[in-house]
Amino acid sequence: MISVENLYHDYEGKGQYAVNDVSFKIKEGEVFGFLGPSGAGKSTVQNIMTGLLKLQKGSVLYEKKSIKEMKSNFYNDIGVSFEFHNLYLKLTGFENLKYYAGLFDVATKDPMELLEMVALRESAHKRVSDYSKGMKQRIVFARALINNPKILYLDEPTSGLDPATATQIRQLIKNKRDEGCTIFLTTHNMYSADELCDRVAFLNEGKIVAMDTPRNLKMKHGKKAVVVEYIRDEKIEKSMFSLDNEEERLKLNEVIKKNDIQTMHSQEGTLEQTFIKLTGRGLV
Amino acid sequence: MRKLLNLYMQDMKLLLRYSFTWLMLGTILIFLAMYHFLLVDTVEQKQTMYFVDDSAGSIMEIALTSANAEDIVFLNSVQELEELILERETQVGVLFSGTMHEPKFTIIHGETMREENVKLIGAALKNTLMNIAGVNVEPQYTTKFLEERAEPIPQNKMSLPLILTYEVVFFSFFLSAVFIFQEKAEGSTRAYRVTPAGTALYIASKTLVFITKGFVYSLVLLLLTIGPKVNFLLLFPVLALGISLFSFIGMGLATFYKSLSEWMLIGMAVIIISALPIFSIMIPTFSPFYIEWMPSFPVLFSFREILFPSGMDLSRQIFNLIGLNIIAYILCHLIVSKKLMKEGA
């Protein structure tokens, strides 16, 4: 559905690429995670894909049609949620959605329904300047859905949110995924990516360093082992057993049979550990 | 049309929620209060002439008294005259000495008196003297007006074209910048970019909002000053052309700057330069080509002609405004598309 090939972007034209030979494909209905630390080039790629930034080199194709050829009606089919809130602070939440809806040529959702969906119905007629950060994040997310987009671009949708609000937003993203919406998720939150994405690409210093399903990445770069905590002789013991080694697998069975198991964790690693392993740097 | 109306409603709400909008509209109340309670239709400045006749037989004093000359006060000594003029600098003193055959007038006045007035007094005194001598001094000239003379503009209404021009030039130019910078600060322009609405609607809705505000402002101002006899059918199109012209200039220029404080220097320079045609209103002989080519010139002169008709043909000024609007819109559209609707372009 979306094909990005050999994408480059140089902001200052001095040969310092913020995006350097980036290529990937996104299938219809897929949730594609674009992961990397701040400054890795994630938002630049999203901005080129949404036509906000001029395409300098490479190609971005939607159903084989270049972003360069897209007319303004292209925006009827996409929804974009920005990391920064970009709302009219002097308008109410309802007014922000109502006027935004009026800019599209396609049927739009009822602003009040969207506000209900993101639990802002009671604050619908409050000015956005009086909203908390979480409330603003939710309304920006709601705004991205107003035109029933086929493709949803979400830039750090859970950034800086309290756990409850972040969970709520993730659930809404899952709902859109279940409805068949194609989602391009830009984040440095590996937990969100792991939970939501069908595939992820790791972006570091403008280049893709790895791309696969979260499971495959974790399996490929993590340890195939189990850490077990158990009680023996009234003391808590902790041991790691490799699952590749037959002798250790037998030991693990022995421990499970003979002891009171407290905890047991597989060691396939997290996406964050995988990222650190591949790039030598953290995600923030 | 639906999208334009929607955007217009949004921008109108935003305008009404900015506190400076109410501050600006409050200026009408201040002006109206001044107009009705402080300014008067005509200002008559009564000037008295103080006269000392130092000639033998006081021939001039006798002649002026018998001619019932108004506003002349006769004094007894030169010292008294000088002391009085020192005290009342706007008044005029005349000392007459010598004889009918060798008259000598000394005009005594404060520093503020214009040379033309001094000469007028001199000529009047000469006429009086010739009348005494029995010489006919009836004027030998006639005045012919090629065009019908316009009604003199009442003093308290003189500032109305200037106020309207400032409403157009200053407010719409300034408001365009305020809207752009507010949206840049909030980031709402970014959200607008990912909709199919486009640049033309963005510019049009803001311009229409400023025109609406201009209409309301002008209607209130003019109905409560000149009254309903103003030719609103001609005024409103000119007002709309003026406001749209300065809105396009304002939006185009503001796009190059990040904040109102960065813009302030160039913005104020544009406003000050745009105010230069005011000198041409004050000094009609002063209208060099560089003033006439300023966008504010046709606006100012059209307003004056519409409010105080003198029979001047406005079609040239209106065509100028239409031409300037077309150029300004094209430039504004290009700049806003390239610089505001794209990032890093």
Side-chain angles (χ1 to χ4, degrees), chain A residues 47 51-53 72 75-76 80 82 86-91 95 99-100 102-105 127 143, chain B residues 2-3 6-7 9-10 13-14 17-18 183 186-188 190-197 342-343:
Chain A
N47 287 340
L52 284 176
L53 266 179
S72 62
Y75 293 108
N76 285 321
V80 184
F82 297 98
N86 48 52
L87 293 155
Y88 286 101
L89 300 179
K90 288 192 181 291
L91 297 182
E95 286 165 347
Y99 293 124
Y100 200 73
L103 301 175
F104 291 90
D105 306 311
R127 285 197 189 182
R143 188 179 62 186
Chain B
R2 178 188 59 82
K3 281 196 269 185
N6 174 69
L7 255 182
M9 292 302 291
Q10 176 196 279
K13 270 199 175 160
L14 285 169
R17 287 178 191 175
Y18 288 137
E183 289 182 356
E186 289 172 345
S188 40
R190 271 193 114 202
Y192 181 85
R193 288 173 190 147
V194 288
T195 71
K342 290 268 179 196
E343 290 181 8

Side-chain angles (χ1 to χ4, degrees), chain A residues 34-50:
Chain A
F34 217 48
L35 312 184
S38 299
K42 307 185 298 289
S43 297
T44 305
V45 172
Q46 177 173 310
N47 287 340
I48 297 169
M49 291 174 76
T50 52

Side-chain angles (χ1 to χ4, degrees), chain B residues 244-258:
Chain B
S244 57
L245 174 61
F246 279 90
S247 302
F248 299 151
I249 297 172
M251 277 186 254
L253 193 66
T255 303
F256 289 97
Y257 298 89
K258 285 182 185 155

Side-chain angles (χ1 to χ4, degrees), chain B residues 8-297:
Chain B
Y8 171 81
M9 292 302 291
Q10 176 196 279
D11 284 330
M12 187 54 95
K13 270 199 175 160
L14 285 169
L15 179 81
L16 294 175
R17 287 178 191 175
Y18 288 137
S19 48
F20 63 77
T21 304
W22 297 101
L23 187 74
M24 284 175 171
L25 290 173
T27 58
I28 300 184
L29 297 178
I30 295 169
F31 177 79
L32 290 173
M34 284 177 66
Y35 177 87
H36 288 290
F37 301 113
L38 295 177
L39 303 174
V40 289
D41 281 10
T42 51
V43 179
E44 285 183 18
Q45 199 174 27
K46 194 177 177 185
Q47 196 162 54
T48 305
M49 183 191 286
Y50 296 93
F51 203 96
V52 172
D53 189 342
D54 206 22
S55 65
S58 299
I59 45 170
M60 274 299 280
E61 186 175 336
I62 293 164
L64 287 169
T65 308
S66 60
N68 290 324
E70 290 177 349
D71 301 327
I72 295 183
V73 174
F74 296 99
L75 302 175
N76 296 322
S77 70
V78 179
Q79 191 189 351
E80 194 184 349
L81 177 67
E82 286 179 349
E83 281 173 4
L84 202 136
I85 297 301
L86 269 178
E87 196 183 307
R88 302 173 192 177
E89 282 195 349
T90 57
Q91 307 301 326
V92 186
V94 177
L95 169 66
F96 176 66
S97 54
T99 64
M100 279 294 289
H101 302 291
E102 282 182 42
K104 187 182 173 191
F105 290 104
T106 308
I107 297 170
I108 302 165
H109 60 84
E111 288 175 7
T112 52
M113 194 166 189
R114 293 169 68 177
E115 190 62 30
E116 300 96 290
N117 290 345
V118 174
K119 286 183 174 163
L120 278 172
I121 292 167
L125 291 168
K126 192 180 167 190
N127 277 358
T128 309
L129 201 63
M130 289 172 87
N131 276 332
I132 295 168
V135 179
N136 182 12
V137 287
E138 284 299 309
Q140 296 302 307
Y141 58 86
T142 52
T143 307
K144 185 180 177 186
F145 294 98
L146 293 174
E147 287 175 350
E148 196 178 325
R149 291 184 72 191
E151 286 280 314
I153 302 170
Q155 298 234 5
N156 58 353
K157 293 184 175 69
M158 292 266 279
S159 55
L160 287 172
L162 302 183
I163 290 174
L164 280 189
T165 308
Y166 259 84
E167 153 64 22
V168 171
V169 175
F170 181 77
F171 288 172
S172 50
F173 179 76
F174 181 70
L175 274 177
S176 309
V178 168
F179 263 73
I180 297 254
F181 293 128
Q182 185 69 26
E183 289 182 356
K184 276 186 176 181
E186 289 172 345
S188 40
T189 323
R190 271 193 114 202
Y192 181 85
R193 288 173 190 147
V194 288
T195 71
T199 307
L201 280 182
Y202 180 85
I203 297 171
S205 83
K206 284 177 178 44
T207 308
L208 285 174
V209 165
F210 303 150
I211 288 173
T212 308
K213 188 188 72 67
F215 281 6
V216 172
Y217 187 105
S218 317
L219 198 66
V220 173
L221 182 77
L222 297 174
L223 284 179
L224 295 177
T225 50
I226 297 178
K229 65 179 178 181
V230 175
N231 184 354
F232 285 106
L233 285 177
L234 184 57
L235 178 79
F236 280 161
V238 173
L239 194 67
L241 285 169
I243 292 174
S244 57
L245 174 61
F246 279 90
S247 302
F248 299 151
I249 297 172
M251 277 186 254
L253 193 66
T255 303
F256 289 97
Y257 298 89
K258 285 182 185 155
S259 65
L260 200 59
S261 54
E262 270 188 27
W263 167 92
M264 197 56 87
L265 183 70
I266 187 78
M268 292 313 287
V270 170
I271 288 168
I272 290 165
I273 291 168
S274 298
L276 288 178
I278 290 172
F279 289 106
S280 295
I281 281 260
M282 290 158 63
I283 312 162
T285 51
F286 178 73
S287 57
F289 75 93
Y290 55 86
I291 297 263
E292 285 196 28
W293 277 99
M294 280 183 187
S296 50
F297 185 89

